[in-house]
Amino acid sequence: MSVTIPPGGSAIGSALLALGDRWTLLILQRAFVLHTRRFSDWRAQLGVSDSTLAARLRDLVAAELLVRAPYDDNGRTREEYLLTPRALELYSLFLVIWGWEQASMPGAKDAPHLIHDKCGQSILPHLGCGVCGTAPVTARETTAERAEHAEFAKISVPRLHRRAQETGTPTDAISYFPQTMGILGDRWSTAILAASFIGIRRFNAFKSELGIAPSILSDRLRRFVGVGVLHAPNDAGEYRLTAKGMGFFPTFALIVDWAQRWYAAAPSRELTIRHTACGAPLHPVLFCSLCGELLERTTVHFEFSPTTTQRV
Ligand SMILES: [Zn+2]
Ligand SMILES: [Zn+2]
């Protein structure tokens, strides 16, 4: 049951399909934070079943996010999985998801610190405009323009992919909170979140935009209202993002940018997020909240408190 990207399909839809799954996010997160690259290590860290892990690794290879590489294990050749260049860029996505948790659920015990090696401080990643250098840039300081006929959210594979019913995703300090996984960890939820950022508000508009079954849509909207990402519908029947929901803008902006660079069949944008202040299409980059320097994958690391139950 691998996820195949239909030729000529939506780049953003393809990216949402590739990423919108809780196990996929956890597998990639472990690869970034703990440098996990072997089947047995993911299994031990995540407590995931062999069949689920094998299926997700296959999907990640098919989506060109992981690549198999042989290694020598005491004279026996085995395979491990390395992040591809396309996947390495997602480091910034994992930083902003972590940043959203810090902002939305402060006081999370044992949360790891993000250390910026250049200034040596415990920092937050600020999404900024790579053209004019302004940071932070929030949703309110941008506009989103959709190309005609762009149907990014009409993701065409959901029937092949049941919502993950597995419970028991790990809850150690480096795992995302269950609430985060409930928002980003399934394909419909990420698509609904993306649709909210381009101004979709009403039940029927979500339904036709996403091609989603009404019962699934009701369930997801209820959940989003429950966790405080969307306001309960107003008198006009509109579901609007709350401040907490708006906090996902960096996640949305990075996925849109990444998708259109790596999954687009043609050099045309389905969606252009524009930085209002400078007028340029937003090239999202991350800046250090304290020293203001550009953050790069190689100049940040997570530091765990001594009490952290980190299973390495
Ligand atoms: Zn700008
Ligand atoms: Zn810094």
Side-chain angles (χ1 to χ4, degrees):
M1 195 170 66
S2 72
V3 174
T4 46
I5 308 300
S10 157
I12 299 170
S14 302
L16 294 176
L17 278 172
L19 296 176
D21 170 83
R22 66 187 61 205
W23 288 116
T24 299
L25 292 176
L26 288 166
I27 289 166
L28 290 173
Q29 187 219 24
R30 290 313 197 270
F32 279 120
V33 178
L34 301 179
H35 309 291
T36 309
R37 52 176 67 173
R38 294 180 186 169
F39 191 96
S40 55
D41 292 335
W42 273 301
R43 187 175 53 192
Q45 290 163 9
L46 300 174
V48 56
S49 74
D50 281 7
S51 60
T52 300
L53 179 57
R56 294 308 190 280
L57 290 173
R58 247 192 332 268
D59 284 354
L60 282 160
V61 170
E64 296 178 43
L65 294 172
L66 291 176
V67 62
R68 290 191 179 90
Y71 74 94
D72 180 74
D73 180 20
N74 292 323
R76 290 181 59 182
T77 302
R78 294 179 184 273
E79 276 190 331
E80 59 186 8
Y81 297 84
L82 306 180
L83 292 162
T84 61
R86 157 187 311 208
L88 285 170
E89 287 193 2
L90 290 172
Y91 194 73
S92 52
L93 179 69
F94 286 90
L95 291 189
V96 299
I97 295 173
W98 171 85
W100 179 83
E101 289 191 332
Q102 302 309 300
S104 310
M105 290 172 266
K109 114 174 121 51
D110 291 345
H113 291 274
L114 179 65
I115 306 296
H116 185 209
D117 300 331
K118 288 220 168 135
C119 66
Q121 305 184 83
S122 169
I123 64 147
L124 287 172
H126 276 177
L127 184 88
C129 170
V131 175
C132 70
T134 304
V137 171
T138 68
R140 295 186 197 288
E141 286 134 20
T142 63
T143 57
E145 303 147 31
R146 195 142 56 130
E148 218 181 327
H149 307 308
E151 292 187 318
F152 77 89
K154 208 154 264 175
I155 47 181
S156 52
V157 195
R159 267 168 297 148
L160 294 177
H161 203 279
R162 294 170 323 224
R163 177 171 134 61
Q165 291 299 336
E166 303 114 312
T167 50
T169 43
T171 53
D172 56 334
I174 65 167
S175 291
Y176 293 117
F177 294 109
Q179 195 180 106
T180 312
M181 289 285 102
I183 297 164
L184 295 178
D186 93 71
R187 298 184 162 103
W188 285 125
S189 297
T190 43
I192 289 169
L193 192 66
S196 298
F197 275 110
I198 60 164
I200 307 292
R201 300 269 181 264
R202 292 164 199 266
F203 189 92
N204 282 334
F206 279 113
K207 188 157 76 68
S208 60
E209 179 72 35
L210 305 173
I212 183 174
S215 59
I216 301 176
L217 178 59
S218 299
D219 172 75
R220 297 303 190 278
L221 290 173
R222 202 164 38 237
R223 193 182 331 154
F224 275 22
V225 171
V227 298
V229 164
L230 290 176
H231 288 292
N234 62 16
D235 292 344
E238 294 175 331
Y239 290 86
R240 292 183 169 268
L241 286 161
T242 62
K244 186 174 173 181
M246 294 289 256
F248 268 113
F249 175 72
T251 304
F252 169 70
L254 286 168
I255 290 178
V256 167
D257 175 67
W258 178 78
Q260 298 191 112
R261 281 184 296 106
W262 290 100
Y263 287 94
S268 64
R269 285 173 198 254
E270 295 167 89
L271 187 62
T272 303
I273 301 173
R274 202 174 286 282
H275 184 211
T276 314
C278 72
L282 183 68
H283 167 50
V285 291
L286 299 183
F287 292 99
C288 173
S289 58
L290 293 182
C291 75
E293 294 253 342
L294 200 63
L295 296 184
E296 286 161 306
R297 185 172 55 82
T298 50
T299 58
V300 289
H301 70 275
F302 282 103
E303 206 164 85
F304 298 89
S305 73
T307 55
T308 296
T309 51
Q310 185 195 344
R311 292 176 286 177
V312 184

PDB file of all heavy atoms in Angstrom, residues 129-134 275 277-280 282, ligand 1:
ATOM      1  N   CYS A 129      11.649  36.075   6.087  1.00  0.00           N
ATOM      2  CA  CYS A 129      11.642  36.234   4.631  1.00  0.00           C
ATOM      3  C   CYS A 129      13.101  36.207   4.152  1.00  0.00           C
ATOM      4  O   CYS A 129      13.916  37.028   4.574  1.00  0.00           O
ATOM      5  CB  CYS A 129      10.984  37.560   4.279  1.00  0.00           C
ATOM      6  SG  CYS A 129      11.146  38.030   2.549  1.00  0.00           S
ATOM      7  N   GLY A 130      13.406  35.252   3.283  1.00  0.00           N
ATOM      8  CA  GLY A 130      14.772  35.117   2.786  1.00  0.00           C
ATOM      9  C   GLY A 130      15.160  36.202   1.798  1.00  0.00           C
ATOM     10  O   GLY A 130      16.334  36.354   1.460  1.00  0.00           O
ATOM     11  N   VAL A 131      14.168  36.984   1.331  1.00  0.00           N
ATOM     12  CA  VAL A 131      14.465  38.035   0.364  1.00  0.00           C
ATOM     13  C   VAL A 131      14.857  39.330   1.075  1.00  0.00           C
ATOM     14  O   VAL A 131      15.911  39.902   0.809  1.00  0.00           O
ATOM     15  CB  VAL A 131      13.262  38.266  -0.591  1.00  0.00           C
ATOM     16  CG1 VAL A 131      13.518  39.441  -1.525  1.00  0.00           C
ATOM     17  CG2 VAL A 131      12.977  36.997  -1.381  1.00  0.00           C
ATOM     18  N   CYS A 132      14.013  39.778   2.015  1.00  0.00           N
ATOM     19  CA  CYS A 132      14.318  41.061   2.673  1.00  0.00           C
ATOM     20  C   CYS A 132      14.927  40.870   4.065  1.00  0.00           C
ATOM     21  O   CYS A 132      15.380  41.826   4.679  1.00  0.00           O
ATOM     22  CB  CYS A 132      13.070  41.942   2.745  1.00  0.00           C
ATOM     23  SG  CYS A 132      11.817  41.360   3.896  1.00  0.00           S
ATOM     24  N   GLY A 133      14.926  39.625   4.581  1.00  0.00           N
ATOM     25  CA  GLY A 133      15.593  39.356   5.848  1.00  0.00           C
ATOM     26  C   GLY A 133      14.774  39.653   7.087  1.00  0.00           C
ATOM     27  O   GLY A 133      15.273  39.568   8.200  1.00  0.00           O
ATOM     28  N   THR A 134      13.481  39.989   6.905  1.00  0.00           N
ATOM     29  CA  THR A 134      12.631  40.272   8.064  1.00  0.00           C
ATOM     30  C   THR A 134      12.272  38.983   8.810  1.00  0.00           C
ATOM     31  O   THR A 134      11.981  37.967   8.177  1.00  0.00           O
ATOM     32  CB  THR A 134      11.311  40.937   7.598  1.00  0.00           C
ATOM     33  OG1 THR A 134      11.625  42.100   6.854  1.00  0.00           O
ATOM     34  CG2 THR A 134      10.417  41.304   8.778  1.00  0.00           C
ATOM     35  N   HIS A 275       5.269  37.912   0.830  1.00  0.00           N
ATOM     36  CA  HIS A 275       5.554  38.744   1.998  1.00  0.00           C
ATOM     37  C   HIS A 275       5.095  40.156   1.686  1.00  0.00           C
ATOM     38  O   HIS A 275       5.639  40.808   0.786  1.00  0.00           O
ATOM     39  CB  HIS A 275       7.069  38.708   2.307  1.00  0.00           C
ATOM     40  CG  HIS A 275       7.422  39.459   3.544  1.00  0.00           C
ATOM     41  ND1 HIS A 275       8.628  40.095   3.718  1.00  0.00           N
ATOM     42  CD2 HIS A 275       6.703  39.677   4.674  1.00  0.00           C
ATOM     43  CE1 HIS A 275       8.631  40.684   4.910  1.00  0.00           C
ATOM     44  NE2 HIS A 275       7.488  40.436   5.500  1.00  0.00           N
ATOM     45  N   ALA A 277       5.319  43.046   3.114  1.00  0.00           N
ATOM     46  CA  ALA A 277       6.215  44.192   3.315  1.00  0.00           C
ATOM     47  C   ALA A 277       7.147  44.415   2.131  1.00  0.00           C
ATOM     48  O   ALA A 277       7.365  45.556   1.711  1.00  0.00           O
ATOM     49  CB  ALA A 277       7.020  44.004   4.593  1.00  0.00           C
ATOM     50  N   CYS A 278       7.718  43.342   1.578  1.00  0.00           N
ATOM     51  CA  CYS A 278       8.672  43.541   0.472  1.00  0.00           C
ATOM     52  C   CYS A 278       8.070  43.154  -0.874  1.00  0.00           C
ATOM     53  O   CYS A 278       8.671  43.426  -1.915  1.00  0.00           O
ATOM     54  CB  CYS A 278       9.981  42.771   0.723  1.00  0.00           C
ATOM     55  SG  CYS A 278       9.832  40.988   0.550  1.00  0.00           S
ATOM     56  N   GLY A 279       6.905  42.495  -0.852  1.00  0.00           N
ATOM     57  CA  GLY A 279       6.231  42.169  -2.101  1.00  0.00           C
ATOM     58  C   GLY A 279       6.753  40.933  -2.806  1.00  0.00           C
ATOM     59  O   GLY A 279       6.213  40.518  -3.833  1.00  0.00           O
ATOM     60  N   ALA A 280       7.807  40.334  -2.259  1.00  0.00           N
ATOM     61  CA  ALA A 280       8.394  39.161  -2.931  1.00  0.00           C
ATOM     62  C   ALA A 280       7.679  37.887  -2.499  1.00  0.00           C
ATOM     63  O   ALA A 280       7.160  37.811  -1.384  1.00  0.00           O
ATOM     64  CB  ALA A 280       9.875  39.065  -2.571  1.00  0.00           C
ATOM     65  N   LEU A 282       7.371  34.608  -0.747  1.00  0.00           N
ATOM     66  CA  LEU A 282       8.096  34.267   0.478  1.00  0.00           C
ATOM     67  C   LEU A 282       9.037  33.098   0.235  1.00  0.00           C
ATOM     68  O   LEU A 282       8.617  32.014  -0.146  1.00  0.00           O
ATOM     69  CB  LEU A 282       7.099  33.913   1.590  1.00  0.00           C
ATOM     70  CG  LEU A 282       7.718  33.603   2.955  1.00  0.00           C
ATOM     71  CD1 LEU A 282       8.345  34.847   3.566  1.00  0.00           C
ATOM     72  CD2 LEU A 282       6.683  33.019   3.907  1.00  0.00           C
TER      73      LEU A 282
HETATM   74 ZN    ZN B   1      10.343  40.112   2.547  1.00  0.00          ZN
END
